[in-house]
Amino acid sequence: MPQEKVAIIGSGNWGTAIARLAGINTAKHTDVFDGSRVPMWVFEEEFEGKKLTEVINTEHENKKYLPGIKLAEHIVAVPDLLETVKDATALVFVTPHQFLGKLLDQLEGHVRKDAKAITLIKGVDVRGADIHIFADVIEQRLGIPTSALSGANIANEVAKDTFSETTIGYRSKEDGELWQKLFQTPKFKVQLIDDVAGVSLCGALKNIVAVAAGFCDGLGYGSNTKAAIMRIGLLEMKHFCQEFFNDVKEESFLQESAGVADVITTCLAGRNCRVAKAFVGSGKTFDQLEEEMLNGQRLQGTLTAKEIHEFLHAKGKARSYPLFDKVYQIAWEGVDPEQLTEGL
Amino acid sequence: MPQEKVAIIGSGNWGTAIARLAGINTAKHTDVFDGSRVPMWVFEEEFEGKKLTEVINTEHENKKYLPGIKLAEHIVAVPDLLETVKDATALVFVTPHQFLGKLLDQLEGHVRKDAKAITLIKGVDVRGADIHIFADVIEQRLGIPTSALSGANIANEVAKDTFSETTIGYRSKEDGELWQKLFQTPKFKVQLIDDVAGVSLCGALKNIVAVAAGFCDGLGYGSNTKAAIMRIGLLEMKHFCQEFFNDVKEESFLQESAGVADVITTCLAGRNCRVAKAFVGSGKTFDQLEEEMLNGQRLQGTLTAKEIHEFLHAKGKARSYPLFDKVYQIAWEGVDPEQLTEGL
């Protein structure tokens, strides 16, 4: 069996945490992977007067996005995208979702025909009544089978090797097992399921539920209400995916880390919940709060709520998803958060 | 249709919160219920120099167990058990589980043959390789069909009318609808499912998971690990019930308030989680911690872990439930909490 050549596209907080795991496993499973060199594409920037790629390649640490965590020495930061993927047979996409389109413009025609990919990008591509998961977008643009990984994975915790689980939705069992071998360690358990869409959509839709959970916290509601919101949200996620995607598996939502466990993590910790909590009673808009609390970074959950609302509205189905609808109305239409649980 | 005469057996924190709902609904649905009088059995004790039944009947408030919450005036505290149930056609059991045996000794032969019951008692009756849910125990002793109610229901929150959900596992659809009518309000949503065993067992087994979640907190693990523990725990609960009980429904665990939502609530708030957290690194036994933190009251989760361990051991199946087993070993066998996630 030829050795798989891994390339990692992205080097933020999550990308670097994942590169650490890939470094361990490409060195360990040399029967499967080329363990001599794993290029990692880095969007070049300055860090403390040096190029970030230089910092990573001399210190074997991404001091900007994951300080304090060492990477294997054969993880090599590369500023050039096409050089990163030149020989690669196994591409890991782990960039912010807004960069994907431009990256694919560059990559088209420059990736090996026998390669495969996996996306760890959160979110979903919605344009009016059109919705696509990123795995499908990558697959269509590059012509290579693309799996998806999502789970209850706060990057810093995975990086520190506390016990975590994740889920890979695979295109073929063989691909799934390859990606599992690349990421699994004794403290990072990878489950496999034949459901790329379900796993991908969990990672996007959970953020709407987290906004609802944050409203609960802001309203001073107790844990009965919060648990109810999480349960209802999980079922709306499942219902949505079963209605608009083929062959989605119920287990992805109800039994996998990508589903129930990630909803829990995201509703307990995380910025969507935190900013939504601050929204209640503040008299501020989410734009203002993003400026104040996130240095102007956009909140995923409210954005996804809006996109999904527009999609459902175009389909004439907004009222079939009362929790998603209520989050949209509170976040974007000035509806009083106190109305959160009405009609659920 | 004859009017159902409701009687409530129990008047603690949860019993009183439930009596409040029954008071509202017996007055509202007079086509179904006798709204003139709902007796509530009270274990007579003194409260501030008066009999507790007197306090409840003059102030319409259980000042000892649910202070600050008013009950309907037709909820009548009765110290005599047989008088409480004399005419009743709809019996609500909501006592601490250790009282049930003695209550049934008294009730046997004194309950109407056409009555039905519902149990809100948490826990399960385990004796070695023998396991019974309380609904079956009541049904066998009194010869009346017995449903079960369980859900993400912290009593004080239900009493304060914040949005909550619960699940009733029914014996017949007709019974389920009757109990739903007795308890459901706009802020307390009751789902029905044809699964008495699943709903009952959720209420018992979730406490083992909460102990594991508390260990996580005590060990300083983050939310990835805690979410993973909750997910694994939920699946062990489901697996256990499917292995040892007939006709258990997967949805009770994965989709209902009694399952996933109650696991969430119990692992976020609640004494099992809190005391297990304190156990880690304390050098104390659970007996000592119960003395210090709970005024000597016994913790449900560690007790259930022990009973379930003895049951599984008798069946030769302890190793098939690694999380339940690990909780037992840490709580009772001196195993280091750091080993919690090993072998999961």
Side-chain angles (χ1 to χ4, degrees):
Chain A
M1 187 164 144
Q3 285 182 325
E4 297 282 352
K5 289 177 187 297
V6 176
I8 298 169
I9 301 169
S11 52
N13 185 235
W14 185 215
T16 310
I18 275 294
R20 178 182 151 271
L21 299 176
I24 292 167
N25 283 325
T26 49
K28 182 175 172 194
H29 304 296
T30 49
D31 54 325
V32 180
F33 300 108
D34 175 357
S36 66
R37 187 169 181 274
V38 174
M40 172 172 76
W41 177 68
V42 174
F43 178 82
E44 190 68 281
E45 53 186 310
E46 283 227 338
F47 179 76
E48 295 183 349
K50 289 184 189 160
K51 287 182 174 172
L52 183 56
T53 50
E54 265 180 42
V55 174
I56 295 172
N57 289 334
T58 50
E59 314 223 10
H60 308 294
E61 183 180 330
N62 186 339
K63 294 213 155 185
K64 174 144 192 187
Y65 294 109
L66 191 64
I69 302 293
K70 289 290 170 196
L71 300 175
E73 299 195 4
H74 66 284
I75 301 284
V76 179
V78 177
D80 185 278
L81 180 64
L82 296 189
E83 193 196 318
T84 308
V85 302
K86 197 172 44 150
D87 303 315
T89 59
L91 298 169
V92 180
F93 283 89
V94 56
T95 61
H97 69 113
Q98 63 270 26
F99 294 171
L100 183 63
K102 284 198 177 159
L103 292 175
L104 291 175
D105 290 344
Q106 290 184 62
L107 288 172
E108 218 173 326
H110 296 280
V111 163
R112 281 174 60 154
K113 299 262 179 282
D114 62 346
K116 58 200 78 58
I118 190 166
T119 169
L120 283 66
I121 301 171
K122 301 281 181 214
V124 68
D125 188 38
V126 191
R127 289 159 204 213
D130 236 31
I131 188 167
H132 298 286
I133 57 168
F134 292 130
D136 287 345
V137 173
I138 295 168
E139 191 154 312
Q140 281 156 17
R141 296 287 301 274
L142 304 185
I144 57 177
T146 305
S147 301
L149 178 150
S150 192
N153 301 143
I154 292 176
N156 289 332
E157 294 181 20
V158 173
K160 283 179 189 146
D161 220 27
T162 58
F163 183 78
S164 303
E165 299 181 311
T166 202
T167 312
I168 287 175
Y170 58 72
R171 289 295 181 190
S172 67
K173 193 86 190 288
E174 197 191 346
D175 282 4
E177 286 168 357
L178 176 76
W179 298 121
Q180 185 180 43
K181 206 157 252 177
L182 184 60
F183 298 123
Q184 182 159 279
T185 69
K187 294 286 190 187
F188 188 70
K189 297 283 181 188
V190 177
Q191 294 122 22
L192 300 178
I193 189 165
D194 180 13
D195 183 8
V196 179
V199 168
S200 299
L201 288 156
C202 281
L205 300 176
K206 61 159 192 180
N207 288 321
I208 307 180
V209 185
V211 171
F215 290 151
C216 270
D217 288 347
L219 289 159
Y221 293 166
S223 49
N224 288 3
T225 310
K226 194 161 173 179
I229 290 291
M230 288 158 75
R231 188 194 77 84
I232 292 167
L234 189 60
L235 294 184
E236 284 197 15
M237 287 165 57
K238 173 173 87 82
H239 178 189
F240 180 90
C241 300
Q242 288 176 325
E243 184 163 5
F244 299 111
F245 289 81
N246 296 324
D247 304 323
V248 164
K249 293 209 158 47
E250 181 153 299
E251 303 93 280
S252 299
F253 300 85
L254 305 179
Q255 303 202 28
E256 293 297 331
S257 178
V260 57
D262 199 15
V263 166
I264 293 170
T265 302
T266 311
C267 289
L268 299 192
R271 50 167 62 182
N272 287 286
C273 188
R274 193 160 45 88
V275 178
K277 179 180 176 182
F279 173 81
V280 177
S282 70
K284 294 176 185 168
T285 64
F286 274 99
D287 284 342
Q288 287 172 295
L289 291 166
E290 284 160 4
E291 207 53 60
E292 289 173 22
M293 299 176 71
L294 305 176
N295 268 322
Q297 278 183 62
R298 303 302 299 275
L299 203 63
Q300 207 61 47
T302 47
L303 211 59
T304 306
K306 189 177 195 178
E307 289 172 346
I308 295 295
H309 170 79
E310 284 161 8
F311 171 79
L312 287 170
H313 184 72
K315 297 275 186 192
K317 290 288 180 81
R319 292 296 176 268
S320 308
Y321 297 86
L323 184 69
F324 289 176
D325 195 44
K326 204 53 80 62
V327 170
Y328 166 76
Q329 289 179 35
I330 294 170
W332 298 100
E333 299 281 350
V335 164
D336 185 348
E338 291 278 0
Q339 290 187 31
L340 178 65
T341 61
E342 273 167 40
L344 294 184
Chain B
M1 186 163 145
Q3 285 182 324
E4 298 281 352
K5 290 177 187 295
V6 176
I8 298 168
I9 300 169
S11 53
N13 185 235
W14 185 216
T16 310
I18 274 295
R20 177 183 152 270
L21 299 175
I24 292 167
N25 283 325
T26 49
K28 182 176 171 191
H29 303 296
T30 48
D31 53 326
V32 180
F33 300 108
D34 175 356
S36 66
R37 186 170 181 276
V38 173
M40 172 173 76
W41 177 67
V42 174
F43 177 82
E44 190 68 281
E45 52 187 312
E46 283 226 339
F47 178 75
E48 295 182 351
K50 289 183 188 158
K51 287 182 175 171
L52 183 56
T53 51
E54 266 179 41
V55 174
I56 295 171
N57 289 333
T58 51
E59 315 223 10
H60 309 294
E61 184 181 330
N62 186 339
K63 294 212 157 188
K64 174 146 192 187
Y65 293 109
L66 192 64
I69 302 293
K70 289 289 170 195
L71 300 175
E73 299 195 4
H74 66 285
I75 301 285
V76 179
V78 178
D80 185 277
L81 180 65
L82 296 187
E83 192 196 319
T84 307
V85 303
K86 195 172 46 150
D87 303 315
T89 60
L91 298 169
V92 179
F93 284 88
V94 56
T95 61
H97 69 114
Q98 62 271 26
F99 294 171
L100 182 64
K102 284 200 175 157
L103 291 174
L104 291 175
D105 289 343
Q106 289 184 61
L107 288 172
E108 220 172 327
H110 297 279
V111 163
R112 281 174 59 154
K113 299 262 178 282
D114 62 346
K116 59 200 76 59
I118 189 166
T119 168
L120 283 66
I121 301 172
K122 300 283 180 212
V124 68
D125 188 38
V126 190
R127 289 159 204 214
D130 236 30
I131 187 167
H132 298 286
I133 57 168
F134 291 130
D136 287 345
V137 172
I138 295 168
E139 191 154 311
Q140 282 157 16
R141 295 287 301 273
L142 303 185
I144 58 176
T146 306
S147 301
L149 179 151
S150 192
N153 301 143
I154 292 176
N156 288 332
E157 295 182 20
V158 173
K160 283 179 189 147
D161 221 25
T162 59
F163 182 78
S164 303
E165 300 182 309
T166 202
T167 311
I168 287 175
Y170 57 74
R171 291 294 182 190
S172 68
K173 193 85 191 288
E174 196 191 348
D175 281 4
E177 287 167 356
L178 176 76
W179 297 121
Q180 184 180 44
K181 206 157 251 176
L182 183 62
F183 298 122
Q184 181 159 279
T185 69
K187 294 286 191 186
F188 189 70
K189 297 283 179 186
V190 177
Q191 292 122 22
L192 300 178
I193 189 165
D194 180 12
D195 182 9
V196 178
V199 169
S200 299
L201 288 156
C202 280
L205 299 176
K206 61 159 191 179
N207 288 322
I208 306 180
V209 185
V211 171
F215 291 152
C216 269
D217 289 347
L219 289 159
Y221 292 166
S223 48
N224 288 2
T225 310
K226 193 160 173 179
I229 290 290
M230 289 158 75
R231 189 194 77 84
I232 292 166
L234 190 60
L235 294 184
E236 283 195 16
M237 287 165 58
K238 172 173 87 83
H239 177 190
F240 180 90
C241 300
Q242 288 176 325
E243 184 162 7
F244 300 111
F245 289 81
N246 296 323
D247 303 324
V248 164
K249 292 209 158 48
E250 181 154 297
E251 302 92 281
S252 299
F253 300 86
L254 305 180
Q255 303 202 28
E256 293 296 332
S257 179
V260 57
D262 199 15
V263 167
I264 293 170
T265 303
T266 311
C267 290
L268 299 192
R271 50 167 61 181
N272 288 286
C273 189
R274 194 160 44 87
V275 178
K277 179 180 175 181
F279 173 81
V280 177
S282 70
K284 294 176 184 167
T285 64
F286 274 99
D287 283 342
Q288 287 172 293
L289 290 166
E290 284 161 3
E291 207 52 61
E292 290 173 21
M293 298 176 70
L294 304 176
N295 268 321
Q297 278 183 61
R298 302 301 300 274
L299 203 62
Q300 207 60 47
T302 47
L303 210 60
T304 306
K306 189 176 195 176
E307 289 172 346
I308 295 296
H309 170 80
E310 284 162 8
F311 172 80
L312 286 171
H313 184 72
K315 296 276 185 190
K317 290 287 180 85
R319 292 296 177 267
S320 308
Y321 296 87
L323 184 69
F324 289 177
D325 194 44
K326 204 53 80 66
V327 169
Y328 166 75
Q329 289 180 35
I330 294 170
W332 297 100
E333 299 281 350
V335 165
D336 184 347
E338 290 279 359
Q339 288 188 31
L340 178 64
T341 61
E342 272 167 41
L344 295 184

